[in-house]
Amino acid sequence: MSDRPQERPGRPAVRRTLRTAARRIVRFAVSMAVLLVASFTMTHLIPGDPVRASLGPAAPIELVQARTAALGLDRPLPKQFITYVGNVLTGHFGTSFLTGEDVGDIIAARLPNTLTLALLATAMALVVAVPLGMWAAVRTENGRNRGTELAFGTATGTAVAVPEFLYSIALVAVLAVGLGWFPPAGKAGPLTYVLPIAALSVGPIAMIARITRVETLRELGTDYVRLARAKRLPAARLHLRHVLPNTLTATLTMGGLLLTSLIAGSVLVEYVFAWPGLGLKIVESITQKDYPVAQAVILVYGAIVLVVNLVVDLVLGALDPTSEIKEVAA
């Protein structure tokens, strides 16, 4: 008989989970490094002189040169990049070329507005899309109601194809300017949230509804649903207590990924509605060649997307052990 201690049955699964999580964290770190390089490179590819843009075309050349040297923009790009990385790692994003404000203060003031808009739009998408997708699945099960299936597929497909900024322009033209029901721009009360949230959530509602319908149809075809129907379980109880929980894994995963796309997609929506978030600020900083602000906002946007994706990956791995096996196989 071997003296080697017996390994507990759960340990291989725990080790596999830890290895999978470690790989995802390493991927996250590599992606952050790439993002750091990209945020620096992208802003320096903007044509024009940022110092001249901030001082104006009539500024004397001596003043432009002195300002360029003071900002360190006369040094070679590799040295500028090393300084940039060091500042980011210490939490110092610099000051705005145009206003002299601390970039960290600008982000702290505007980031909550962007996150609030994205989170509310994501919540709205889930609240509307999940019941809509389940209703469509129940109505079109086993090939019934072809007209409903065609209408649902056409409407959701069209809604997904239209970009957010077109929804923004249409909502402003019809509901704000035409009918006067809502303020056309700014952030000055509950009503000012309605149109930006609507513009951001229409596409995600359609996409999540389509996914929910497919997942619900798959669940409706399983043996346990057939058995429940044979036992004459009430339809509402069957759909809400049994089918719905089993469709939510893919739906909530998609919801987490959509949150990242809504944060990125809010740039143009914020610009149309003059919403005081990071989206409006990044447009202004790029057009005005305000390097520190543009770099920091790009970095924050990218970091949020990567963090949300990492969390979704880790949560999905915990909820669905088969994803870990697929990860190892890949």
Side-chain angles (χ1 to χ4, degrees), residues 128-217:
V128 174
V130 172
L132 178 61
M134 289 194 68
W135 171 83
V138 172
R139 287 275 298 173
T140 60
E141 186 184 4
N142 297 323
R144 294 184 292 112
N145 296 309
R146 293 289 186 181
T148 300
E149 182 178 359
L150 178 61
F152 177 84
T154 302
T156 55
T158 302
V160 170
V162 177
E164 290 93 345
F165 77 91
L166 288 182
Y167 286 124
S168 303
I169 295 171
L171 289 171
V172 169
V174 176
L175 299 182
V177 177
L179 298 175
W181 291 353
F182 301 98
K187 178 177 177 283
L191 286 179
T192 57
Y193 284 81
V194 175
L195 296 186
I197 291 173
L200 278 174
S201 60
V202 173
I205 286 173
M207 186 178 299
I208 295 177
R210 292 170 71 93
I211 293 172
T212 303
R213 175 180 175 271
V214 172
E215 291 295 313
T216 303
L217 286 174

Side-chain angles (χ1 to χ4, degrees), residues 313-324:
D313 279 347
L314 294 176
V315 171
L316 182 60
L319 294 177
D320 182 11
T322 60
S323 65
E324 298 169 9

Side-chain angles (χ1 to χ4, degrees), residues 10-296:
R11 286 182 178 176
V14 172
R15 285 203 302 268
R16 186 170 61 245
T17 300
L18 292 176
R19 284 198 301 267
T20 303
R23 275 194 295 271
R24 287 168 176 164
I25 292 172
V26 169
R27 274 208 309 256
F28 169 78
V30 172
S31 299
M32 282 296 299
V34 173
L35 175 63
L36 199 62
V37 175
S39 64
F40 177 82
T41 305
M42 288 169 62
T43 51
H44 282 77
L45 292 176
I46 301 172
D49 185 353
V51 175
R52 175 64 71 181
S54 63
L55 296 177
I61 186 64
E62 294 81 7
L63 178 61
V64 173
Q65 291 175 346
R67 177 71 170 163
T68 301
L71 295 172
L73 296 177
D74 59 338
R75 295 183 299 163
L77 282 181
K79 291 186 177 180
Q80 291 186 46
F81 177 70
I82 292 172
T83 302
Y84 170 65
V85 173
N87 289 338
V88 169
L89 294 179
T90 56
H92 178 65
F93 294 101
T95 57
S96 169
F97 286 174
L98 298 176
T99 65
E101 295 178 87
D102 184 81
V103 176
D105 293 340
I106 295 174
I107 292 174
R110 289 177 173 263
L111 180 58
N113 294 330
T114 294
L115 291 179
T116 300
L117 207 61
L119 287 170
L120 289 175
T122 302
M124 174 66 71
L126 291 172
V127 167
V128 174
V130 172
L132 178 61
M134 289 194 68
W135 171 83
V138 172
R139 287 275 298 173
T140 60
E141 186 184 4
N142 297 323
R144 294 184 292 112
N145 296 309
R146 293 289 186 181
T148 300
E149 182 178 359
L150 178 61
F152 177 84
T154 302
T156 55
T158 302
V160 170
V162 177
E164 290 93 345
F165 77 91
L166 288 182
Y167 286 124
S168 303
I169 295 171
L171 289 171
V172 169
V174 176
L175 299 182
V177 177
L179 298 175
W181 291 353
F182 301 98
K187 178 177 177 283
L191 286 179
T192 57
Y193 284 81
V194 175
L195 296 186
I197 291 173
L200 278 174
S201 60
V202 173
I205 286 173
M207 186 178 299
I208 295 177
R210 292 170 71 93
I211 293 172
T212 303
R213 175 180 175 271
V214 172
E215 291 295 313
T216 303
L217 286 174
R218 181 177 61 80
E219 288 298 318
L220 291 175
T222 56
D223 292 336
Y224 81 88
V225 171
R226 297 191 188 97
L227 179 61
R229 284 173 170 168
K231 293 182 176 181
R232 299 187 180 278
L233 192 71
R237 184 179 177 184
L238 171 63
H239 295 152
L240 295 179
R241 293 190 58 181
H242 299 282
V243 175
L244 176 60
N246 290 322
T247 65
L248 286 182
T249 300
T251 301
L252 292 179
T253 301
M254 191 64 192
L257 297 176
L258 278 174
L259 174 60
T260 64
S261 68
L262 286 176
I263 292 172
S266 67
V267 173
L268 292 178
V269 173
E270 289 185 12
Y271 184 74
V272 172
F273 290 102
W275 187 263
L278 287 182
L280 179 61
K281 194 62 182 177
I282 194 173
V283 174
E284 294 174 349
S285 62
I286 290 175
T287 55
Q288 296 168 348
K289 304 176 183 64
D290 196 347
Y291 282 0
V293 176
Q295 288 172 343

